[in-house]
Amino acid sequence: MINQERILAEFLELVQIDSETKEEAAIAEVLKDKLASLGFSVEEDDVASKTEHSANNLFANLEGTAKGPAILFSCHMDTVVPGKGVKPSIKDGYVVTDGTTILGADDKAGIAAIFEAIRTLKEKNLPHPSIQVVLTVGEESGLVGSRHMDASKLKAEMGFILDSTGKVGEIVKAGAGQYRIVTKIHGKAAHAGVNPEDGISAITVASKAISRMPLGRIDEDTTANIGRFEGGRAYNIVTDYVEIWSEARSMVNEKLEAQVKKMTTAFEEVASELGATCENDVKFMYSGYKFDEGTPVLQKAIAAVKRVDREPKLTNSGGGSDGNVFNGHGIPSVNFGIGYEEIHTKNERMPLEELYKASELVLAVIAECVE
């Protein structure tokens, strides 16, 4: 039903617009014009003023022609580096680069899939509920755009993100939320050979605290890690200061909170026991989510995959996506695999079959949401 030549041409156009993360201004202008031409009312937030990014998140709304839950489709407009001067070509059923840059199928394949589906929808005069398209900046910088977005502009009841590896048919039904912790331990310096008993080793405090923590794979939903540990000035000085970077992740927010508490409490208790002081700077990054097959958004996603003659494959992700943020704002959202391969490398490529099928999937989701 979709126009394969048209979606391919648009995808090739999009990947040739430079949009490395933090430098999204040029593509944002193109995307605004394209959304407006598709009949969307387009607005943006002020995320550029809050971050180091050159453009804002885009929020585009299309009024429904039929009853059904208001739905959201989302992709990000930025790419990783090296993403300037992309020269795409078609080889053996794939869109590839000349080997000097990434391709940017992550996530411009998703954008092209959404746009072609909407064009087809309008041309065929197909019924649809209200549709919101949200295109974010800074996803590759750590979900910067979505984490700082103006959530008051979100209008959907459920969301579908086109930004995951795996062929069309894969559905990320659970994604881990994350906290980051920077811990500063202050001990007391002393000469390590003359009077070590007068010192309080910050390294000892931190080491004993870490030994009390559950780390690594905690359970099927939760992980925790010490990522960086530094401090000390010389062989012969009892170390009076160390800094530790750590994180906790979980698909279940209650488990995430509990893990963070265990980690910060261990640092605080051992510091108190050994006469040191401790500061924990705890930073919430994004929420976790985990859906069972009875959840409406997952039911719609499964039905849509079957509608395009693919077998649904349900997966979990330990990493974060914009979908985590939408879920944190109360919009149940799942992430679709759209088929790109070897992303974040110069070998990145996009199978034409998956590009076309991803756009068919967007149409199928819309059809499943019409009541």
Side-chain angles (χ1 to χ4, degrees), residues 89-139:
S89 61
I90 301 169
K91 182 179 181 180
D92 299 328
Y94 291 86
V95 180
V96 299
T97 75
D98 64 357
T100 65
T101 68
I102 53 95
L103 175 62
D106 174 18
D107 197 17
K108 293 173 184 177
I111 296 174
I114 293 170
F115 284 7
E116 178 56 30
I118 299 299
R119 284 196 186 91
T120 303
L121 189 79
K122 303 291 286 265
E123 289 172 352
K124 304 292 185 182
N125 198 28
L126 300 174
H128 61 85
S130 293
I131 298 171
Q132 183 172 57
V133 174
V134 179
L135 302 179
T136 63
V137 300
E139 192 272 351

Side-chain angles (χ1 to χ4, degrees), residues 198-251:
D198 292 333
I200 301 172
S201 171
I203 290 177
T204 299
V205 173
S207 299
K208 289 187 175 181
I210 290 169
S211 71
R212 295 185 185 182
M213 300 176 191
L215 293 170
R217 172 69 63 184
I218 309 302
D219 57 36
E220 64 178 4
D221 301 311
T222 312
T223 62
N225 184 57
I226 304 296
R228 182 171 178 174
F229 188 128
E230 64 177 28
R233 290 176 283 169
Y235 289 104
N236 61 346
I237 301 175
V238 174
T239 300
D240 61 350
Y241 175 79
V242 295
E243 184 170 301
I244 306 99
W245 295 3
S246 58
E247 68 159 27
R249 299 177 185 244
S250 185
M251 299 168 197

